Amino acid sequence: MNKKTSIFRIIIGLFICLFFLFFLIVHFHAVKNSTQEKLTVAVVKDSTENKKILTFNKKIGVAIGKKLKKKVILKTVTATTAMQNKQKYSVIIGLHKKSMNKQEIKHSLVYLYVPNELVSLKDKGLSNLSATTKKISIVKNIDYPQSLALSGIKLHFERESSAADAINSVMTKRTRAAIVSALDYTALTSKNIDYLENLKTNQATPPVSSQAYYLYINKDASTKKAFTSFQGSQELARLSFNILGQDYTKQ
């Protein structure tokens, strides 16, 4: 046997060993994944909402699974579908209060407060909400601000399908002002110079409260513990800052 033949056989042997090692690794991970306990998470998707919210909520689901050392199965659904099939999910992320009944709210935690902006034309600012009888547009996914409900103020609201529609209603003077999320207002004004030149945000009395987002936990103490640990360690706050640009995890 010459030297070249010996080297060739050694190389072939190494290649076969590497192939079997690769096969064993893949097989190990496949077996591990098939036997690993699963965490089914529903993430609420709303077409009228800022897309960053959906990204943020998905990251929360993955983080909870990591804390529990479970494989996360993410399901993107509407709020109605999520609550109708709530027994299928360990966690539902991204709910508004109006989507739940009192019992469901008991099993939920508020984890995000997205500020709302009261927007009007620069030459027609609005500050005293209790005195206005004009129409105010509000995006349909925003709950009636709690601050206004507690004050007993009943505004003449017109629901709009998107923040862009709400802002345009102000620009065309169809409504006196608009209530939109701070995320949407920032995104819209960054792309449209007319908005920057003609619109302003108002410090209203009473102030317009933030939109609260809820996380529903399906009666599982370990899941709740994993989330509160994630929340208490400031990881949730950092995630909010990285994705949403600010820490909106506290009111």
Side-chain angles (χ1 to χ4, degrees):
M1 184 184 298
N2 59 42
K3 188 176 181 181
K4 286 185 179 181
T5 303
S6 298
I7 294 173
F8 178 76
R9 287 184 175 179
I10 291 170
I11 292 171
I12 292 296
L14 287 172
F15 178 78
I16 292 170
C17 289
L18 288 171
F19 175 80
F20 277 107
L21 181 61
F22 175 76
F23 174 79
L24 288 172
I25 291 171
V26 170
H27 179 70
F28 171 77
H29 284 289
V31 171
K32 183 181 177 182
N33 287 336
S34 65
T35 58
Q36 187 179 15
E37 197 174 348
K38 295 176 178 62
L39 183 78
T40 305
V41 178
V43 180
V44 174
K45 183 179 181 180
D46 187 331
S47 60
T48 66
E49 219 155 46
N50 192 289
K51 292 179 181 179
K52 290 182 180 180
I53 298 290
L54 182 62
T55 301
F56 178 70
N57 290 339
K58 286 181 177 180
K59 293 285 187 181
I60 292 174
V62 172
I64 295 172
K66 189 175 180 181
K67 288 278 185 184
L68 294 168
K69 296 182 180 178
K70 293 182 179 181
K71 182 182 179 181
V72 176
I73 309 298
L74 288 175
K75 303 286 185 180
T76 305
V77 296
T78 64
T80 302
T81 300
M83 298 317 294
Q84 285 176 345
N85 301 285
K86 62 181 181 240
Q87 297 304 323
K88 293 181 180 180
Y89 311 116
S90 299
V91 186
I92 302 173
I93 306 172
L95 292 164
H96 293 177
K97 191 174 183 179
K98 63 186 177 185
S99 306
M100 300 177 285
N101 58 38
K102 290 181 180 179
Q103 189 63 28
E104 290 162 348
I105 291 171
K106 278 186 179 181
H107 294 287
S108 302
L109 300 169
V110 181
Y111 67 96
L112 186 67
Y113 301 88
V114 176
N116 289 317
E117 299 283 10
L118 179 65
V119 182
S120 67
L121 293 170
K122 283 185 177 179
D123 60 348
K124 293 186 177 182
L126 182 63
S127 57
N128 189 353
L129 290 174
S130 62
T132 186
T133 58
K134 303 292 185 181
K135 293 179 182 177
I136 293 178
S137 60
I138 183 171
V139 184
K140 68 178 183 180
N141 70 303
I142 295 177
D143 294 335
Y144 192 95
Q146 189 178 16
S147 54
L148 304 183
L150 292 173
S151 303
I153 296 174
K154 296 294 182 183
L155 296 177
H156 186 177
F157 274 151
E158 282 202 358
R159 290 283 178 177
E160 300 288 351
S161 60
S162 68
D165 289 342
I167 293 296
N168 284 333
S169 74
V170 177
M171 290 288 288
T172 58
K173 300 183 181 179
R174 185 166 56 81
T175 59
R176 181 70 171 76
I179 295 177
V180 299
S181 85
L183 291 175
D184 287 332
Y185 183 68
T186 299
L188 287 168
T189 53
S190 67
K191 295 175 182 177
N192 193 323
I193 193 168
D194 286 344
Y195 292 164
L196 285 173
E197 291 178 347
N198 294 289
L199 299 173
K200 71 172 183 177
T201 57
N202 301 262
Q203 297 298 320
T205 304
V208 179
S209 53
S210 301
Q211 175 71 45
Y213 285 78
Y214 288 77
L215 181 146
Y216 174 83
I217 298 173
N218 202 358
K219 301 177 184 179
D220 186 340
S222 63
T223 303
K224 182 177 181 180
K225 184 178 179 181
F227 174 72
T228 53
S229 171
F230 178 65
Q231 188 178 40
S233 66
Q234 296 299 307
E235 290 176 87
L236 181 64
R238 284 194 293 271
L239 188 64
S240 174
F241 190 86
N242 291 336
I243 296 175
L244 306 179
Q246 293 289 334
D247 176 12
Y248 293 137
T249 62
K250 302 172 188 67
Q251 195 165 24

